[in-house]
Amino acid sequence: MKTAVIVFPGSNCDRDMAVALEQVTGKASAMVWHRETALPDGTDFVALPGGFSYGDYLRSGAMAARSPILAAVSEAAGRGVPVLGVCNGFQVLTEAGLLPGALMRNAGLNFVCRTVPLTVANSQSLFTASYKVDEAIAIPVAHHDGNYFADAETLDRLEGEGRVAFRYADSVNGSARDIAGVLNDAGNVLGMMPHPERAIDRAHGGTDGLRLFEAALGVLA
Amino acid sequence: MKVNIYVTLKPGVLDPQGKAIHHALEGLGFAGVDDVRAGRFIELEVADSVSDADLDAMCARLLANTVIENYRIQRA
């Protein structure tokens, strides 16, 4: 299992993501700089980490979504390679058009940084197969722009096709229909605002995030 | 030549920032403001050879997020 973490100027959860991936795979992730035009040969899992790529200039994720490596990520996603975007990574995936919708300023205008209860809305995806549907889990969030928006027709389609992966159990940021994470139509791209890589060790206060990596990286017993 | 780009939130998209500005205006005692929507203004300095189609593509591909925003291009 070869994993890659994309690093943008302003990424700050890239190391945490790499630690989570290595904990599950036993192998170090490739750290891929945004100026690269190709992923390492044989990459079979790509993670876009949290942070403030390009200082959130223009819009969160907007500049990163147009960086050279995103063409390679998009091509890999098209081949079915699993791509996980967390927080800023989710914003990048929507800006790049790999996921529908947009992430706007939190409805309360405040930066929200705390562990939040989530509900698993889809337990069939490659990322969520280790959870039970409607299971309550707890994963930290830390964001200013996590207010998920899409038009009603898109939201209906996402719900109808089982592409909402996680919902906030309580309102956190004003997201439409409390959506915390969405899948692409093929199910191999997941974007989510909560940080599963911050919930992989008891010392973190919880390990609910670890199961996402275990499912996605195919090492569940 | 100078080109002005106005990026505004689409109607129906909630604008918490605009709401906060509205609230602050009321706090300052300005009556009669019915609504506030905050957007973005971008000035480009471009060669005369840059076409309208180029400007439109710049807006659609980067300057605006057409999921949530509209844009208007004005050659100054």
Side-chain angles (χ1 to χ4, degrees):
Chain A
M1 174 65 68
K2 285 181 76 173
T3 63
V5 177
I6 311 300
V7 185
F8 302 101
S11 292
N12 64 10
C13 300
D14 43 327
R15 180 188 170 278
D16 291 9
M17 184 65 80
V19 167
L21 295 174
E22 183 168 353
Q23 180 167 328
V24 172
T25 64
K27 280 196 269 179
S29 273
M31 305 305 281
V32 181
W33 186 234
H34 70 120
R35 300 278 279 275
E36 298 289 334
T37 54
L39 294 163
D41 281 345
T43 297
D44 37 23
F45 184 94
V46 180
L48 279 68
F52 300 86
S53 56
Y54 299 85
D56 281 350
Y57 289 172
L58 192 62
R59 297 175 304 273
S60 297
M63 314 303 287
R66 279 83 183 171
S67 63
I69 194 62
L70 252 289
V73 173
S74 181
E75 185 271 333
R79 280 189 284 115
V81 173
V83 177
L84 170 67
V86 169
C87 200
N88 189 223
F90 185 12
Q91 295 161 344
V92 173
L93 290 173
T94 59
E95 279 283 345
L98 289 171
L99 290 173
L103 291 144
M104 304 184 59
R105 181 53 41 104
N106 291 345
L109 294 173
N110 288 323
F111 191 96
V112 179
C113 182
R114 57 187 161 89
T115 297
V116 299
L118 300 175
T119 307
V120 177
N122 173 341
S123 61
Q124 305 290 310
S125 80
L126 70 93
F127 300 95
T128 58
S130 60
Y131 302 106
K132 293 192 215 46
V133 73
D134 294 332
E135 185 178 346
I137 60 173
I139 294 186
V141 296
H143 60 248
H144 211 168
D145 295 325
N147 182 351
Y148 186 73
F149 175 88
D151 59 42
E153 188 186 331
T154 303
L155 294 170
D156 288 345
R157 195 176 74 242
L158 290 174
E159 290 184 328
E161 294 174 354
R163 288 168 56 189
V164 176
F166 301 103
R167 289 183 206 273
Y168 302 108
D170 308 317
S171 182
V172 167
N173 50 30
S175 285
R177 304 188 193 177
D178 291 321
I179 289 171
V182 296
L183 294 153
N184 69 341
D185 55 356
N188 68 309
V189 178
L190 170 66
M192 59 190 292
M193 290 310 297
H195 287 267
E197 79 281 9
R198 295 190 190 181
I200 61 163
D201 189 298
R202 280 189 186 168
H204 292 164
T207 56
D208 284 344
L210 183 61
R211 291 151 66 198
L212 183 148
F213 294 103
E214 289 174 337
L217 298 166
V219 295
L220 275 183
Chain B
M1 78 182 308
K2 190 169 270 187
V3 177
N4 295 332
I5 311 277
Y6 301 88
V7 181
T8 52
L9 283 176
K10 287 182 174 177
V13 175
L14 283 177
D15 179 12
Q17 197 169 214
K19 275 198 163 52
I21 295 167
H22 189 185
H23 186 70
L25 286 173
E26 287 174 340
L28 290 171
F30 293 105
V33 179
D34 291 329
D35 194 23
V36 178
R37 308 276 286 169
R40 183 181 290 113
F41 173 65
I42 300 168
E43 277 182 341
L44 304 180
E45 191 66 45
V46 302
D48 291 347
S49 58
V50 172
S51 69
D52 287 350
D54 289 336
L55 291 170
D56 194 71
M58 290 179 205
C59 289
R61 292 181 56 194
L62 177 63
L63 302 179
N65 179 342
T66 56
V67 174
I68 48 173
E69 294 168 331
N70 289 326
Y71 57 85
R72 185 161 61 84
I73 300 164
Q74 179 190 62
R75 287 188 187 260

